[in-house]
Amino acid sequence: MILRSWLVSLSWTWFLLSICQAQRATDDKPNIVLIMVDDLGIGDLGCYGNDTIRTPNVDLLAAEGIKLSQHISAASLCTPSRAAFLTGRYPIRSGMVSDTNTRVIHSLAVPAGLPLNETTFAAVAKKQGYSTALIGKWHQGLNSQYRNDYVHHPYNYGFDYFYGMPFTLYTPCWPDPSRDAELAISRGLGSCVQLLAITALTLILGKIGRWFSVPWLVILLMILFIFLPCYFWFHSYTSRLYWNCVLMRQEEITEQPMKAERAASIMMKEAISFLERHREEPFLLFYSFLHVHEPCPTMEKFIGTSKHRLYGDNVQEMDYFVGKLLDAIDNLGLRNHTLVYFTSDHGGELESRVGHVQLGGWNGIYKGGKAMGGWEGGIRVPGIFRWPGKLPAGKVIEEPTSLMDIFSTVAALTGGTVPQDRVIDGQNLMPLLQGAVQHSEHEFLFHYCGVYLHAARWNPKDSPAVWKVHYVTPVFQPPGAQACYETKACTCSGEGVTYHDPPLLFDLSRDPSESTPLTGDTEPLYDVVIKTVADAVQEHRKSIIPVQLQLGKELNEDSIWLMTCCGVFPFCLCDKEGNTSNLGF
């Protein structure tokens, strides 16, 4: 009897310990929600000083968490910046850079993409038992050797689930034309062409096998009838709207072309559905907004709600959806067990204008913007972390941090490890966020424009100064302007830049807008700083192993064989979403 009681007590003790250990293991692995906005300027948010655009949900997120005031993107354009964010490595290490003026993946019909040997934070989290999803923009490639091979699909980089744009929003995507008639004709023509092709093939085999006699002329005319509709249909759709503005769910194209104004609502529905499906297990959700990239497709109820026309309306709509996502986290009881991070992939676009009306973002006091490799306005972005009970509320950290840090931070949070066979440039931010350390692990950060290093910053451990050295800066046009309005985007080399020898020097702690370069006469430490940063640049360059440039001319060229198609090429129009009027957003 005593033995039996002892065994029962031991069993209960083991059971309770198991529950406690399981709970502790779960508590040690928070859910992770990473929110990235496209082309958002740091000055577009109320919590970063804007008092003319309403962003109450992002502002509340900052008030409830930690705001980073010197959060730096590894590149000033989408594709390389996102590659660095995903991998924790400067994009030049993975080849996601260019030596030409085309510095992003420029269509879905190119073989370029994030190399498969790169490890993303999603892959690290997945290996630790996390369910992972990407909702929204990808822009890291899709096909490689043939149409629909999906070599560069998010699934191959650790994401269990994907819904969104494999490419990016751009001007042809909105406003989209009404195309109900086109969809019907496309389906009809596609079916007819398939039927004719089967018939022609049957006649050819019958002719060769002498099963029946059909004149070759009839067969040739039938082949001609197959070819002509395909040819004329394909060439009637020269707009990139039909080939790049597409939405996918997993490996299925659901809209071609997409209805951009409803995409945000469907994305939010997909994100909330993912949260609901995985609320009982650790998950990582990368919510990659299509907002606020031009052409800024915006729902009717937000049109005209801001003081900054369509762009401001679109920012306010983005904030609305941030609120919906945070509400879903709260309503599912996941608030205290979920780390939420908010950022932008790079600075706002200054050259996006109609006449003299600004359509792009505002970068606050910072000089420059999107596509400018060195100036702060192109690379300084919002950075907000919230994790109730684990991170202090209302704190501001002014130390230099990087989007690349998310990789190492996710690895630490999930219990994973960073790869040891390559250089990882990002740092684990948790000690800095939790106050265990007061100083950033980044002594130096390097700022590239394509393959060209334009600038570098030095954050000495024994000084409050943050030194910024510019070796190359873009030539603004017209003269006296603060952006490259004539060329629509600044270039990285050649006649479009100025090479500085000696380089320009700024102390960002005293001159964050980079308005007054320091000289040997005005700064006693000038020579020391210039030499120290030059030595760091030299050591950094030694660590760069040459790889194939994914965004160079060889791989970033269109191929008709790689063009996406949801039907029988070239009859590719489709809309599989159906009626979406009841989304509730």
Side-chain angles (χ1 to χ4, degrees):
M1 187 69 179
I2 296 175
L3 179 61
R4 181 181 177 183
S5 299
W6 181 80
L7 289 173
V8 170
S9 299
L10 184 63
S11 298
W12 273 105
T13 302
W14 176 84
F15 178 69
L16 292 172
L17 283 172
S18 297
I19 292 176
C20 292
Q21 288 174 350
Q23 183 65 42
R24 185 158 56 247
T26 302
D27 289 342
D28 290 342
K29 290 188 175 184
N31 304 313
I32 300 171
V33 175
L34 309 174
I35 304 171
M36 176 175 279
V37 187
D38 198 4
D39 283 22
L40 179 72
I42 192 171
D44 290 327
L45 300 171
C47 55
Y48 281 92
N50 192 306
D51 58 3
T52 61
I53 297 179
R54 296 188 299 274
T55 55
N57 294 296
V58 177
D59 297 348
L60 180 60
L61 187 70
E64 295 176 340
I66 296 174
K67 184 176 73 172
L68 306 177
S69 66
Q70 196 178 165
H71 201 39
I72 307 299
S73 169
S76 58
L77 284 170
C78 307
T79 299
S81 169
R82 289 163 182 267
F85 175 69
L86 288 162
T87 64
R89 288 155 51 83
Y90 286 106
I92 195 168
R93 297 194 191 278
S94 59
M96 294 297 280
V97 289
S98 173
D99 55 0
T100 72
N101 288 333
T102 303
R103 289 180 276 150
V104 299
I105 290 178
H106 84 93
S107 87
L108 287 179
V110 304
L114 185 66
L116 292 175
N117 63 351
E118 290 293 328
T119 301
T120 70
F121 55 68
V124 172
K126 183 176 180 178
K127 193 173 181 180
Q128 297 304 309
Y130 275 65
S131 296
T132 58
L134 166 60
I135 307 294
K137 173 175 173 173
W138 175 234
H139 210 186
Q140 298 294 301
L142 187 61
N143 298 315
S144 178
Q145 296 181 342
Y146 57 87
R147 180 178 303 113
N148 301 342
D149 67 11
Y150 297 150
V151 166
H152 299 301
H153 188 280
Y155 181 82
N156 294 317
Y157 300 90
F159 291 101
D160 297 319
Y161 187 77
F162 170 65
Y163 176 83
M165 279 194 84
F167 191 53
T168 181
L169 274 181
Y170 66 142
T171 303
C173 295
W174 188 76
D176 63 308
S178 175
R179 56 191 186 284
D180 292 339
E182 291 176 319
L183 288 169
I185 294 171
S186 176
R187 286 192 293 266
L189 273 175
S191 299
C192 289
V193 165
Q194 288 183 74
L195 183 60
L196 284 171
I198 293 171
T199 303
L201 181 61
T202 302
L203 292 178
I204 291 172
L205 294 175
K207 181 80 171 177
I208 294 174
R210 298 183 179 179
W211 298 329
F212 41 80
S213 178
V214 179
W216 281 111
L217 180 61
V218 173
I219 296 175
L220 290 174
L221 286 174
M222 189 170 293
I223 293 172
L224 182 64
F225 275 114
I226 294 171
F227 173 77
L228 288 178
C230 293
Y231 177 83
F232 288 114
W233 183 269
F234 176 76
H235 284 278
S236 67
Y237 289 97
T238 55
S239 170
R240 289 184 176 268
L241 161 73
Y242 296 96
W243 307 108
N244 288 328
C245 302
V246 303
L247 287 173
M248 297 181 71
R249 179 177 287 105
Q250 297 291 68
E251 295 184 344
E252 178 186 25
I253 298 172
T254 59
E255 293 184 50
Q256 186 175 4
M258 64 190 284
K259 292 183 177 179
E261 74 281 354
R262 73 179 185 184
S265 296
I266 301 175
M267 282 171 50
M268 185 54 58
K269 182 196 75 169
E270 293 282 342
I272 294 174
S273 177
F274 174 80
L275 297 179
E276 291 171 342
R277 292 196 306 270
H278 299 284
R279 60 187 298 182
E280 301 296 337
E281 59 191 15
F283 61 78
L284 181 149
L285 169 62
F286 176 22
Y287 193 87
S288 180
F289 270 103
L290 304 184
H291 298 70
V292 290
H293 197 292
E294 65 173 345
C296 299
T298 306
M299 294 189 296
E300 184 67 29
K301 67 180 181 180
F302 285 95
I303 298 292
T305 60
S306 80
K307 298 179 181 179
H308 296 280
R309 302 197 181 190
L310 184 61
Y311 180 82
D313 299 342
N314 201 239
V315 172
Q316 294 187 170
E317 183 182 78
M318 175 276 298
D319 180 81
Y320 166 80
F321 280 112
V322 169
K324 290 298 181 183
L325 185 58
L326 297 178
D327 286 346
I329 292 170
D330 291 352
N331 293 338
L332 292 170
L334 302 173
R335 177 186 178 89
N336 293 335
H337 193 55
T338 302
L339 180 141
V340 178
Y341 166 74
F342 178 93
T343 193
S344 173
D345 55 355
H346 49 71
E349 183 178 11
L350 302 181
E351 293 87 358
S352 180
R353 310 172 97 191
V354 174
H356 295 289
V357 177
Q358 179 74 15
L359 291 182
W362 184 51
N363 300 313
I365 65 171
Y366 303 109
K367 188 172 186 176
K370 178 179 179 179
M372 304 181 201
W375 294 122
E376 287 292 284
I379 56 178
R380 190 178 291 222
V381 295
I384 299 171
F385 284 89
R386 187 193 77 178
W387 187 6
K390 299 289 186 178
L391 297 179
K395 183 177 181 180
V396 178
I397 294 177
E398 299 180 353
E399 290 289 303
T401 57
S402 170
L403 263 66
M404 295 184 292
D405 295 336
I406 300 306
F407 179 89
S408 297
T409 305
V410 167
L413 289 168
T414 60
T417 57
V418 299
Q420 301 300 307
D421 61 346
R422 66 199 67 185
V423 175
I424 299 296
D425 300 295
Q427 303 289 335
N428 174 18
L429 286 178
M430 290 309 295
L432 182 64
L433 296 174
Q434 293 180 319
V437 300
Q438 302 301 314
H439 202 73
S440 170
E441 293 294 321
H442 291 291
E443 184 176 6
F444 297 97
L445 283 170
F446 306 97
H447 309 305
Y448 281 87
C449 186
V451 299
Y452 307 100
L453 193 147
H454 274 201
R457 79 180 63 209
W458 176 30
N459 180 35
K461 295 186 181 298
D462 57 353
S463 168
V466 179
W467 303 105
K468 180 90 170 287
V469 176
H470 287 265
Y471 301 102
V472 185
T473 57
V475 175
F476 293 151
Q477 349 88 24
Q482 292 299 304
C484 300
Y485 294 112
E486 293 179 354
T487 56
K488 303 301 181 184
C490 294
T491 57
C492 298
S493 62
E495 296 181 355
V497 301
T498 299
Y499 298 91
H500 299 283
D501 186 14
L504 303 179
L505 174 64
F506 301 91
D507 179 3
L508 298 179
S509 68
R510 292 177 285 167
D511 182 16
S513 59
E514 299 172 288
S515 59
T516 307
L518 300 171
T519 66
D521 295 330
T522 60
E523 175 51 59
L525 295 176
Y526 180 88
D527 291 333
V528 173
V529 173
I530 294 298
K531 183 180 186 310
T532 301
V533 175
D535 290 344
V537 167
Q538 185 177 10
E539 287 301 309
H540 167 70
R541 282 179 166 152
K542 289 179 182 178
S543 74
I544 304 297
I545 300 174
V547 295
Q548 185 175 25
L549 298 183
Q550 294 293 317
L551 307 184
K553 188 173 180 60
E554 181 181 351
L555 294 179
N556 209 10
E557 290 288 326
D558 284 342
S559 168
I560 189 175
W561 309 112
L562 298 180
M563 298 176 80
T564 53
C565 186
C566 67
V568 178
F569 189 85
F571 306 102
C572 301
L573 277 63
C574 67
D575 182 358
K576 300 177 183 178
E577 292 298 340
N579 185 6
T580 56
S581 59
N582 60 346
L583 289 173
F585 300 113

